[in-house]
Amino acid sequence: MSIFPDYFAPLHLSLVGKALGKGLLELGVHDLRQWTHDRHNTVDDTPYGGGAGMVMKPEPWGECFDALLDGLEEPPVLVVPTPSGIPFSQPIAYELSEKSHLLFACGRYEGIDRRVMEHAATRMEVRELSLGDYVLNGGEVATLAMVEAVVRLIPGVIGNPESLTEESHSDGQDQLLEYPVYTKPPSWRGLDVPEVLFSGHHARIAEWRREQAVELTRLRRPDLLPE
Ligand SMILES: Nc1nc2cc(Br)ccc2s1
């Protein structure tokens, strides 16, 4: 749900687009203004208590959820991208990929009236999630990123599920960053592929890759290293 539904056209491309074509998931994009009733389709108003900017009114969201929940066999999970949310992560992506129905509420302005999430929590699971410590102009870009991260984990979406196990932040690598990868040519602009990768010695290659992953993690994300 968004006041800028066109942001989601890219979801009909590439990986998510193919999954839609294969019927592995369904996607609905809803313009929040559909649930306004005034001449200007108003979705925001000034904040109680003063302060800069505008706040998204609760009524359109409430009516939108009423309509989208109607007829659902089980309550969906409401995902609300927000800079003040719990950090989104690969484990959370896996959790969400197992849910039957996700709703993404894309806020704009200074945010959504708090009562929207409060009331939603009386009839569905609400997850307020952040993509990182930076502020966007709305939840749409964050939703695109989360949808891609979640959809690729749905069985059948990725051709080779093995590629999911060796990624950065995947459980298989106990949260290490991904090792460096190489392909042909063996030498390029004076830069050679590490010899070990030509050895055909799978145990040595695996050991080298783990060493590289640990070293990269130590340099870039020491917080991810096991104690
Ligand atoms: N990092 C993020 N920034 C924002 C801003 C707005 Br406005 C709504 C959602 C998000 S998620």
Side-chain angles (χ1 to χ4, degrees):
M1 297 142 288
S2 164
I3 57 171
F4 293 112
D6 293 350
Y7 252 97
F8 298 100
L11 288 179
H12 292 284
L13 304 173
S14 185
L15 176 115
V16 176
K18 286 198 183 78
L20 286 166
K22 290 198 272 187
L24 293 171
L25 79 150
E26 291 172 8
L27 172 74
V29 178
H30 306 279
D31 185 340
L32 184 69
R33 295 190 195 276
Q34 183 181 335
W35 288 280
T36 60
H37 310 292
D38 63 304
R39 191 151 56 98
H40 299 293
N41 298 113
T42 309
V43 292
D44 62 321
D45 202 337
T46 53
Y48 277 127
M54 301 291 272
V55 173
M56 297 192 91
K57 296 165 55 65
E59 300 95 327
W61 288 106
E63 290 183 31
C64 170
F65 295 162
D66 292 346
L68 296 184
L69 265 63
D70 186 25
L72 283 189
E73 282 168 20
E74 56 183 277
V77 174
L78 176 66
V79 176
V80 186
T82 169
S84 57
I86 293 168
F88 182 63
S89 64
Q90 196 66 7
I92 292 179
Y94 270 104
E95 265 180 62
L96 295 179
S97 73
E98 291 164 355
K99 302 290 182 183
S100 60
H101 206 112
L102 303 177
L103 295 183
F104 288 86
C106 300
R108 282 262 149 183
Y109 310 106
E110 298 310 307
I112 302 172
D113 185 300
R114 172 54 33 193
R115 291 169 293 180
V116 170
M117 282 65 78
E118 226 170 289
H119 183 269
T122 65
R123 55 183 174 170
M124 62 188 121
E125 183 183 349
V126 179
R127 307 290 295 268
E128 295 187 64
L129 301 174
S130 158
L131 278 198
D133 296 335
Y134 49 84
V135 183
L136 300 168
N137 286 328
E140 287 80 6
V141 166
T143 293
L144 281 170
M146 287 194 266
V147 166
E148 179 158 315
V150 170
V151 167
R152 65 193 298 276
L153 301 177
I154 296 172
V157 171
I158 288 268
N160 172 13
E162 271 189 33
S163 58
L164 292 178
T165 55
E166 288 206 340
E167 295 176 325
S168 293
H169 308 294
S170 71
D171 289 346
Q173 288 287 319
D174 49 47
Q175 299 293 309
L176 293 177
L177 299 184
E178 196 168 345
Y179 50 77
V181 290
Y182 300 83
T183 186
K184 302 180 191 63
S187 186
W188 175 70
R189 295 190 178 187
L191 300 170
D192 298 341
V193 171
E195 274 305 314
V196 66
L197 298 180
F198 296 105
S199 69
H201 197 299
H202 299 298
R204 278 206 206 122
I205 291 170
E207 183 191 3
W208 178 86
R209 283 173 167 171
R210 180 164 177 85
E211 285 164 3
Q212 293 292 311
V214 169
E215 180 56 19
L216 200 57
T217 309
R218 193 184 60 74
L219 285 172
R220 294 183 182 168
R221 290 295 304 276
D223 59 298
L224 294 179
L225 282 175
E227 297 296 320

